Amino acid sequence: MSISARTNLFEKFNITANGTLDPYLTNSNGDRIDKLVWSKHPLSLGRLVYGSIALQSQFKGGNKSEKLPLTNNQQQLNPVSGLPLNEYQQEAAYINNNPAEFANFNIPWSLSFSYSLNYTKVRNGTSYSSVFSQNVTWQGTLNLTPKWQIGMNSSYNITTGELGQMSMYLTREMHCWQMAINASPIGKYRYFNISISPKSSILRDLKINRTRYFMICNWV
């Protein structure tokens, strides 16, 4: 059974929680058996086998009514289930991977961040163990001039102490066109990309694009 909850604090911090409950009991090895949890714990909703809590917020300058592009941690939710919608997931993933194509020059600066705590049950041989992971992601933009904008986004795994993939971009507003330079200087998979495309969503596929990928190998 899946459960979800969502709330907002001070109109600045969005908090979402999701969990998966298993209604069956387990034996000494952690394997499910043909007995329901309610036979021993009548008031229990089930065994928690997966759970996550996420906190997101964003700050920006300029016109407060302007909206920032969605990132993969700021997705539209189904008002009934509270779960992300597939079409928004796909759109958010594309925007997150190509932030320079969606730069908003009406916002002089912006900063968004998210924190997530995840819990899951993992099998280790003949038993199961509980695994926790914590991650922090952030994204920032700054207008250097009315026509030039720079931005950066990255993540940090608190559990492993590792910095995640970092990407930076520089974009130029050219009236009906927009030039974007994206680069990822940190991480195993690094890339450099430059593109010139029309700002119209109808003509977005008519663009000049040049990309180079680099894979960093650690030899022992």
Side-chain angles (χ1 to χ4, degrees), residues 48-49 118-124 128-133:
L48 182 65
V49 294
N118 296 281
Y119 161 83
T120 187
K121 284 281 191 179
V122 177
R123 188 181 185 100
N124 294 318
Y128 287 82
S129 60
S130 300
V131 176
F132 292 88
S133 63

Side-chain angles (χ1 to χ4, degrees), residues 80-100:
V80 177
S81 66
L83 298 177
L85 299 177
N86 290 333
E87 59 268 28
Y88 287 111
Q89 284 182 306
Q90 296 174 6
E91 180 183 1
Y94 182 83
I95 293 174
N96 186 70
N97 294 328
N98 304 272

Side-chain angles (χ1 to χ4, degrees), residues 18-203:
N18 295 279
T20 302
L21 302 173
D22 189 339
Y24 289 95
L25 291 172
T26 59
N27 56 24
S28 58
N29 293 327
D31 296 322
R32 303 166 79 214
I33 60 176
D34 191 19
K35 286 188 179 181
L36 296 174
V37 172
W38 304 296
S39 62
K40 284 190 174 182
H41 308 284
L43 300 180
S44 174
L45 295 178
R47 292 184 304 104
L48 182 65
V49 294
Y50 171 80
S52 67
I53 298 177
L55 170 68
Q56 300 109 21
S57 186
Q58 60 179 224
F59 305 90
K60 59 185 176 181
N63 189 350
K64 302 301 181 181
S65 64
E66 291 282 349
K67 293 184 178 181
L68 294 176
L70 293 173
T71 68
N72 55 353
N73 291 309
Q74 297 168 318
Q75 299 169 354
Q76 297 276 352
L77 301 179
N78 185 308
V80 177
S81 66
L83 298 177
L85 299 177
N86 290 333
E87 59 268 28
Y88 287 111
Q89 284 182 306
Q90 296 174 6
E91 180 183 1
Y94 182 83
I95 293 174
N96 186 70
N97 294 328
N98 304 272
E101 295 185 22
F102 300 88
N104 189 339
F105 289 90
N106 295 322
I107 300 176
W109 64 269
S110 68
L111 175 65
S112 61
F113 72 91
S114 67
Y115 165 82
S116 64
L117 172 64
N118 296 281
Y119 161 83
T120 187
K121 284 281 191 179
V122 177
R123 188 181 185 100
N124 294 318
T126 60
S127 62
Y128 287 82
S129 60
S130 300
V131 176
F132 292 88
S133 63
Q134 301 180 75
N135 289 275
V136 176
T137 62
W138 64 88
Q139 179 181 24
T141 65
L142 176 65
N143 284 1
L144 301 177
T145 71
K147 300 293 185 179
W148 286 94
Q149 184 181 100
I150 189 172
M152 182 186 73
N153 63 71
S154 185
S155 63
Y156 180 74
N157 190 315
I158 300 176
T159 306
T160 61
E162 296 179 350
L163 184 66
Q165 193 84 16
M166 176 183 290
S167 63
M168 306 173 65
Y169 75 82
L170 180 67
T171 184
R172 163 74 177 181
E173 200 276 334
M174 300 185 297
H175 189 55
C176 296
W177 294 74
Q178 186 164 301
M179 181 186 72
I181 301 174
N182 295 277
S184 179
I186 296 178
K188 184 177 181 180
Y189 300 97
R190 306 179 186 183
Y191 65 88
F192 175 84
N193 167 271
I194 181 170
S195 65
I196 301 177
S197 61
K199 297 174 67 176
S200 171
S201 59
I202 299 177
L203 303 175

